């Protein structure tokens, strides 16, 4: 966790030298500075504020403030804590934030987190004679710290003990008799102590269960696409961008720019040497450089065309002004503000769900982050983000994503942009005060200061969006899979909340979506763990493996037909479709699913009406052999048609005929056989087990609907104890 400030000169003016006299900060020593070089906080202050210099991305101010709470501490012990905090940050003259040698820098955020963890830890010594850090080396004194931590969460204990270890890193700034060590015994570690004394396990962010996840994806994509259609306002954005780009090419001669860039790229390049190294001709090398120069120039003008068209679309756009939106849609201004809040939540939720980004990474994307990359004729969707998690300088990261992320960013760019302090800044969210007593009215009275969507406010946005979605959690139907996929979830991370009516719903977080994203892409065989490691920007593969530990749970299936089909296959498909529709009309009693309900009553229809029905439904129906979807690309599942999930919610677009029902019987038998094999081998893969159970319960519903006798399959209590 390292980064660098770039402002050493501002600190060097006030910094203390490191020498054998062990100089210590005094009450008037400057501990933080502002951008202009003036002091921001002094050593004597109870609060040290680092916001002006370090809070460059609009985070909540408390993240860059150290509050020592002097009244709650032994004053002498607090003095040494502040001294150690000073050296952690300053590190001596010319070495701001530097630890363990030149070139290694600790993030100011990490130091502040460390000190906040220690603040409560040292309060147990108030009113005692434990007033020096050297006493912590004593086993009896250290045992008092351990005793104070008993019964709290495992992760909390680990964080506090590790924070204590950090303070030993500045021992060299103190005389020998003031230094301390942590008296771990016989191979003890912070983690081993935590496991022994914790009142509860650390747990992990929950995996979203399939029945909830498909609803979340479907509704989120629908919200984004609905807003995107309002943004288009009946126009073709891509066509307009292409037209503008072609106009630029006509008006400008870019060949000179391409040639200039080519010359710049090939400067100091030995063409002959490179050709020999790559076993190709010099012409091939030159052509390659020319191609790169051409692509770079073309991208520049495509971006220019994109921005030009975007500015045109922003003019009188329905999403541009919340007041105008209210008028056009016949709703109150309060309702319009609430709707914009929902759209905002859906757009950020889509970017999270289809990339696996953390909250902090979502704060770094902007309206230019989406980019399509063409590799060997295949168009890849990517999003750019910036992070300083590991490097001294901000690093640009590229994330694979879905096309809906482009739509989400475009919507965020124009959403209420008329009221933003900075046009196009997707992390500024306009806020308003309403009229009426206590601001309870329906009309906007005045505009308030824009809310900055840093990590805290984005987290609240996800909470509000979860409240809006209100996706029901049904214990009788969902507990089985939930407990299997989430054996340990800390209470603070419990995703199952009660709404104002007392009904249970699922509460979404970016980290929960991140975990579920990993399960889907790895479990479905779309990517390898190594690829996911790169996507998640993990340090090592073991971190990624944790996320993908139950990776088989999501078996969502694509439903797109092959791009080209031979004529005879088309004819065969048409005939099969006709037979399928004929079976629905003539044998409604052999059908199940929500689709057949549309044919309740007399199903006898004239031949011309039947032919019309065949034509209108052809091309929309998609089948997996276990059911047929009659919505095609307009399906609320948004191209994620998997029969088990559709059966569970009795989807109105799903039909299952007698033959498909028989396939469910076979599917159920196969799933049971796999579980029994696990029992026989006494080896249980919970991810696989969750998938099998989901299919078994769906199969049993189908069998029940079709009057097929069966006895409900019971997994066995002892499996849950494994």
């Amino acid at each position: 966790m390292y980064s660098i400030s770039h402002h050493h000169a501002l600190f060097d003016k006030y910094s203390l030298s490191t020498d054998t006299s062990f100089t210590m900060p005094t009450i008037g020593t400057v501990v933080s500075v502002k951008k202009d070089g003036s002091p921001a906080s002094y050593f004597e202050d109870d609060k040290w504020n680092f916001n002006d210099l370090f809070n460059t991305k609009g985070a909540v101010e408390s993240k860059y403030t150290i509050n020592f709470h002097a009244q709650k501490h032994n004053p002498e012990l607090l003095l040494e804590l502040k001294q150690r905090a000073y050296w952690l940050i300053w590190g001596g003259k010319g070495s701001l934030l530097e630890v363990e040698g030149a070139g290694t820098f600790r993030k100011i955020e990490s130091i502040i987190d460390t000190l906040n963890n220690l603040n409560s830890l040292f309060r147990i010594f108030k009113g005692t004679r434990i007033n020096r850090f050297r006493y912590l080396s004593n086993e009896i004194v250290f045992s008092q710290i351990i005793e104070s931590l008993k019964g709290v969460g495992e992760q909390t204990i680990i964080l506090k003990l590790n924070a204590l270890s950090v303070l030993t890193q500045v021992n060299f700034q103190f005389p020998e008799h003031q230094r301390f060590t942590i008296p771990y015994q016989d191979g003890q570690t912070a983690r081993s102590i935590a496991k022994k004394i914790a009142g509860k396990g650390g747990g992990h962010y929950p995996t979203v269960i399939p029945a909830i996840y498909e609803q979340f994806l479907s509704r989120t994509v629908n919200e984004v696409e609905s807003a995107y259609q309002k943004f288009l306002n009946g126009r073709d954005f891509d066509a307009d961008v292409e037209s503008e780009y072609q106009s630029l090419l006509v008006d400008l001669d870019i060949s000179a720019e391409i040639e200039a860039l080519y010359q710049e790229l090939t400067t100091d390049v030995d063409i002959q040497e490179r050709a020999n190294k790559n076993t190709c001709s010099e012409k091939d090398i030159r052509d390659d450089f020319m191609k790169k120069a051409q692509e770079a120039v073309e991208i520049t003008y495509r971006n220019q065309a994109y921005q030009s068209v975007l500015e045109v679309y922003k003019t009188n756009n329905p999403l541009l002004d919340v007041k105008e939106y209210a008028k056009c849609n016949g709703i109150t201004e309060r309702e319009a503000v609430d709707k914009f809040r929902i759209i905002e939540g859906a757009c950020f939720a889509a970017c999270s769900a289809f990339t696996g980004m953390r909250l902090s990474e979502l704060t770094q994307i902007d309206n230019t982050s989406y980019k399509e990359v063409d590799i060997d004729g295949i168009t890849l969707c990517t999003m750019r983000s910036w992070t300083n998690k590991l490097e001294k300088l901000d690093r640009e990261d590229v994330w694979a994503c879905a096309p809906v992320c482009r739509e989400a960013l475009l919507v965020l760019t124009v959403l209420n942009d008329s009221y933003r302090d900075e046009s196009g800044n997707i992390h500024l969210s306009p806020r308003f005060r309403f009229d009426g007593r206590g601001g309870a009215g329906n009309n906007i009275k005045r505009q308030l200061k824009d809310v900055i969507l840093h990590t805290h406010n984005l987290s609240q946005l996800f909470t509000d969006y979860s409240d809006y979605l209100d996706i029901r959690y049904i214990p009788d139907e969902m507990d089985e899979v939930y407990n299997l996929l989430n054996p340990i979830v800390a209470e603070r991370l419990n995703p199952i909340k009660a709404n104002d009516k007392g009904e249970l719903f699922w509460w979404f977080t970016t980290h929960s979506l991140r975990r579920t994203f990993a399960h889907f892409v790895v479990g479905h065989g779309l990517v390898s763990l190594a690829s996911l490691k790169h996507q998640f920007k993990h340090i090592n593969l073991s971190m990624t493996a944790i996320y993908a530990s139950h990776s088989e749970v999501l078996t969502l299936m694509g439903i797109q037909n092959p791009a080209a089909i031979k004529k005879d296959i088309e004819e065969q498909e048409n005939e099969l479709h006709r037979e399928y529709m004929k079976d629905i009309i003539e044998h409604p009693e052999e059908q199940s699913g929500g689709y057949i309900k549309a044919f309740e009553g007399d199903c006898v229809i004239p031949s011309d009406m039947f032919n019309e029905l065949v034509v209108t439904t052809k091309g929309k129906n998609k089948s997996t052999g276990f059911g047929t979807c009659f919505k095609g690309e307009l399906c609320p599942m948004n191209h994620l048609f998997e029969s088990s999930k559709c059966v569970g919610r009795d989807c109105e677009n799903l039909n299952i005929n007698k033959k498909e029902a028989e396939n469910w019987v076979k599917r159920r038998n196969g799933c049971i056989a796999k579980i029994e094999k696990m029992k026989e081998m006494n080896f249980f893969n919970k991810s696989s087990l969750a998938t099998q159970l989901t299919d078994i319960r769906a199969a049993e519903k189908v069998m029940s609907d079709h009057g097929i006798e069966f006895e409900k399959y019971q997994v066995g209590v002892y499996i849950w104890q494994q």
Side-chain angles (χ1 to χ4, degrees):
M1 301 281 185
Y2 301 107
S3 65
I4 185 172
S5 168
H6 306 302
H7 293 286
H8 283 201
L10 299 180
F11 281 75
D12 287 344
K13 178 181 178 181
Y14 306 104
S15 61
L16 301 178
S17 298
T18 304
D19 52 42
T20 55
S21 63
F22 300 109
T23 303
M24 288 293 155
T26 61
I27 58 174
T29 300
V30 175
V31 294
S32 66
V33 299
K34 300 178 182 178
K35 290 187 181 73
D36 62 6
S38 62
S41 301
Y42 295 91
F43 185 81
E44 65 177 333
D45 296 337
D46 195 36
K47 287 185 180 181
W48 294 359
N49 194 323
F50 297 88
N51 276 277
D52 194 75
L53 188 62
F54 289 96
N55 190 356
T56 60
K57 295 168 182 175
V60 61
E61 288 194 0
S62 60
K63 187 175 181 179
Y64 291 90
T65 304
I66 303 173
N67 192 339
F68 289 102
H69 300 285
Q71 73 280 6
K72 299 181 180 181
H73 286 274
N74 179 311
E76 294 174 279
L77 193 64
L78 177 62
L79 173 64
E80 188 171 340
L81 174 62
K82 293 176 74 173
Q83 289 171 341
R84 289 179 178 273
Y86 175 87
W87 290 116
L88 272 178
I89 297 167
W90 287 70
K93 195 168 186 67
S95 55
L96 170 67
L97 303 182
E98 188 171 341
V99 292
E100 301 173 355
T104 305
F105 295 85
R106 183 179 299 281
K107 288 179 67 176
I108 187 68
E109 296 91 342
S110 298
I111 295 176
I112 293 173
D113 286 344
T114 294
L115 294 169
N116 286 338
N117 272 307
L118 292 172
N119 243 306
S120 59
L121 192 66
F122 290 131
R123 293 173 189 172
I124 63 172
F125 296 118
K126 182 181 180 181
T128 72
R129 298 178 65 182
I130 308 300
N131 57 4
R132 293 289 185 273
F133 269 72
R134 68 174 185 268
Y135 293 141
L136 301 181
S137 300
N138 184 282
E139 293 178 23
I140 296 177
V141 175
F142 184 65
S143 68
Q144 290 182 261
I145 291 178
I146 299 302
E147 187 67 28
S148 72
L149 294 174
K150 282 185 176 179
V152 302
E154 182 180 324
Q155 193 60 33
T156 300
I157 297 171
I158 293 172
L159 287 172
K160 290 183 180 296
L161 293 181
N162 284 341
L164 191 60
S165 296
V166 170
L167 292 187
T168 65
Q169 295 178 4
V170 293
N171 271 339
F172 69 92
Q173 299 284 8
F174 294 79
E176 187 71 34
H177 69 278
Q178 284 187 254
R179 299 174 185 177
F180 82 102
T181 58
I182 300 179
Y184 289 136
Q185 300 294 314
D186 302 324
Q188 278 183 332
T189 63
R191 187 170 296 277
S192 65
I193 290 176
K195 287 187 177 296
K196 184 177 180 180
I197 68 173
K200 52 188 176 182
H204 55 66
Y205 283 89
T207 298
V208 185
I209 63 174
I212 298 290
Y213 192 49
E214 61 95 357
Q215 293 182 66
F216 170 81
L217 289 180
S218 173
R219 292 183 60 184
T220 297
V221 173
N222 282 343
E223 287 288 350
V224 173
E225 290 189 340
S226 176
Y228 182 65
Q229 292 304 315
K230 290 184 174 68
F231 159 77
L232 292 179
N233 204 13
R235 297 167 292 188
D236 189 330
F237 184 77
D238 293 331
D240 289 344
V241 170
E242 181 63 26
S243 177
E244 177 67 16
Y245 171 65
Q246 294 300 330
S247 296
L248 287 174
L249 295 186
V250 171
D251 296 338
L252 301 169
D253 181 10
I254 67 171
S255 59
E257 291 186 53
I258 295 173
E259 180 62 31
L261 183 56
Y262 168 78
Q263 294 299 333
E264 183 180 337
L265 291 174
T266 55
T267 300
D268 300 326
V269 175
D270 190 325
I271 299 294
Q272 184 178 8
E273 180 183 351
R274 183 164 295 195
N276 293 335
K277 184 178 180 180
N278 291 277
T279 63
C280 61
S281 68
E282 293 182 24
K283 182 179 182 300
D284 290 337
I285 298 297
R286 291 193 179 91
D287 288 346
D288 186 52
F289 274 109
M290 182 59 74
K291 182 180 179 181
K292 290 178 180 177
Q294 181 176 347
E295 289 175 349
V297 172
E298 288 177 350
I299 287 173
T300 299
Y301 284 104
R302 281 194 180 276
N303 288 340
Q304 183 177 327
Y306 176 91
Q307 291 299 330
S308 297
V309 174
L310 181 59
E311 289 304 314
V312 173
Y313 272 51
K314 286 170 67 174
T315 304
N316 299 322
N317 194 281
L319 298 179
L320 199 68
D321 187 320
V322 71
K323 292 184 178 180
E324 290 300 318
Y325 184 89
K327 290 179 183 177
C328 294
N329 290 276
I331 58 178
T332 67
E333 290 177 355
R334 179 181 288 276
E335 289 172 332
V337 168
D338 291 342
K339 179 59 180 176
F340 275 27
R341 179 77 169 166
I342 292 166
I343 294 172
E344 193 173 50
C347 290
F348 277 107
C351 291
S352 171
F354 288 98
T355 62
M357 283 186 180
R358 305 173 181 90
L359 264 180
S360 59
E361 287 153 346
L362 283 176
T363 66
Q364 305 311 306
I365 61 176
D366 60 29
N367 60 355
T368 66
S369 288
Y370 182 86
K371 184 179 181 182
E372 292 183 352
V373 181
D374 187 84
I375 300 178
D376 295 332
I378 299 175
T379 300
L380 303 179
C381 306
T382 68
M383 284 183 68
R384 293 174 296 157
S385 178
W386 291 263
T387 180
N388 60 1
K389 183 176 181 181
L390 301 174
E391 284 75 18
K392 297 177 184 179
L393 301 175
D394 280 2
R395 178 191 70 202
E396 180 178 337
D397 285 323
V398 178
W399 301 73
C401 68
V404 69
C405 295
R406 168 180 176 268
E407 299 175 1
L409 289 179
L410 279 169
V411 169
L412 288 172
T413 302
V414 301
L415 192 65
N416 234 358
D417 202 53
S418 291
Y419 293 95
R420 282 190 179 127
D421 288 341
E422 181 184 337
S423 179
N425 187 340
I426 65 174
H427 295 290
L428 292 181
S429 184
R431 290 292 185 268
F432 307 93
R433 180 171 180 80
F434 294 91
D435 60 7
R437 191 171 185 178
N442 287 318
N443 295 313
I444 293 174
K445 182 178 181 180
R446 60 185 174 88
Q447 184 177 358
L448 304 175
K449 183 180 179 181
D450 286 356
V451 166
I452 301 173
L453 295 177
H454 46 56
T455 53
H456 176 75
N457 287 329
L458 269 176
S459 179
Q460 184 59 48
L461 185 64
F462 271 77
T463 298
D464 294 343
Y465 184 59
S466 298
D467 290 342
Y468 162 73
L469 290 177
D470 198 22
I471 298 177
R472 292 284 182 272
Y473 182 85
I474 306 172
D476 290 345
E477 298 178 10
M478 300 177 180
D479 277 353
E480 189 175 37
V481 173
Y482 175 84
N483 292 327
L484 177 65
L485 293 178
N486 301 292
I488 303 175
V489 175
E491 182 59 33
R492 65 185 178 86
L493 302 177
N494 184 6
I496 303 168
K497 309 291 182 182
N499 61 18
D500 53 6
K501 298 178 182 178
E503 300 163 325
L504 299 180
F505 73 100
W506 193 284
W507 173 55
F508 297 92
T509 65
T510 54
H511 239 79
S512 187
L513 292 174
R514 177 179 173 84
R515 191 177 186 88
T516 311
F517 175 90
H519 296 166
F520 169 57
V521 297
V522 176
H524 198 48
L526 301 179
V527 301
S528 65
L529 273 179
S531 299
L532 188 62
K533 172 182 177 291
H534 177 76
Q535 175 86 348
F536 279 6
K537 316 301 180 271
H538 280 160
I539 298 172
N540 53 60
L541 198 62
S542 62
M543 295 173 67
T544 311
I546 293 173
Y547 278 82
S549 58
H550 308 303
S551 59
E552 294 174 81
V553 62
L554 297 175
T555 53
L556 304 175
M557 297 175 65
I559 59 172
Q560 293 180 347
N561 281 331
I565 312 173
K566 293 182 180 180
K567 185 176 180 180
D568 57 338
I569 297 179
E570 284 184 343
E571 292 175 352
Q572 185 178 3
E573 282 190 342
N574 289 335
E575 184 58 32
L576 288 173
H577 174 59
R578 176 176 286 273
E579 290 298 320
Y580 192 95
M581 296 307 300
K582 184 179 179 182
D583 182 52
I584 290 179
I585 300 300
E586 294 182 351
H587 302 287
E589 75 284 355
E590 295 181 356
Q591 319 296 319
S592 67
Y595 186 73
I596 189 61
K597 293 178 181 178
F599 294 99
E600 286 183 354
D602 187 4
C603 287
V604 178
I605 61 176
S607 59
D608 57 339
M609 290 182 61
F610 175 75
N611 292 333
E612 183 180 353
L613 177 65
V614 171
V615 172
T616 55
T617 54
K618 177 58 188 160
K620 295 180 181 179
N621 64 315
K622 309 291 178 181
S623 175
T624 61
F626 297 91
T628 299
C629 176
F630 279 91
K631 265 293 186 179
E633 294 183 357
L634 298 178
C635 179
M637 293 277 292
N638 241 300
H639 315 299
L640 299 175
F641 170 44
E642 211 296 314
S643 305
S644 294
K645 317 306 178 297
C646 300
V647 167
R649 64 192 184 105
D650 207 16
C651 176
E652 69 276 10
N653 302 313
L654 178 69
N655 188 77
I656 300 174
N657 63 17
K658 184 177 181 180
K659 184 177 181 180
E660 289 166 334
E662 291 170 353
N663 288 340
W664 275 106
V665 177
K666 298 175 184 177
R667 186 171 186 170
R668 176 176 179 271
N669 292 338
C671 292
I672 292 174
K674 289 179 181 178
I675 295 178
E676 293 301 319
K677 187 66 175 180
M678 291 184 197
K679 290 182 181 180
E680 181 183 333
M681 298 174 64
N682 197 30
F683 179 79
F684 300 100
N685 181 317
K686 290 185 176 180
S687 301
S688 180
L689 187 56
T691 303
Q692 310 306 325
L693 274 175
T694 300
D695 285 352
I696 287 172
R697 297 303 177 232
E700 289 175 346
K701 183 180 186 306
V702 172
M703 293 166 71
S704 176
D705 290 343
H706 285 260
I708 302 173
E709 293 186 3
F710 68 94
E711 184 176 339
K712 183 176 180 179
Y713 179 72
Q714 301 294 339
V715 180
V717 176
Y718 71 95
I719 286 185
W720 306 104
Q721 300 172 345
Q722 294 296 316

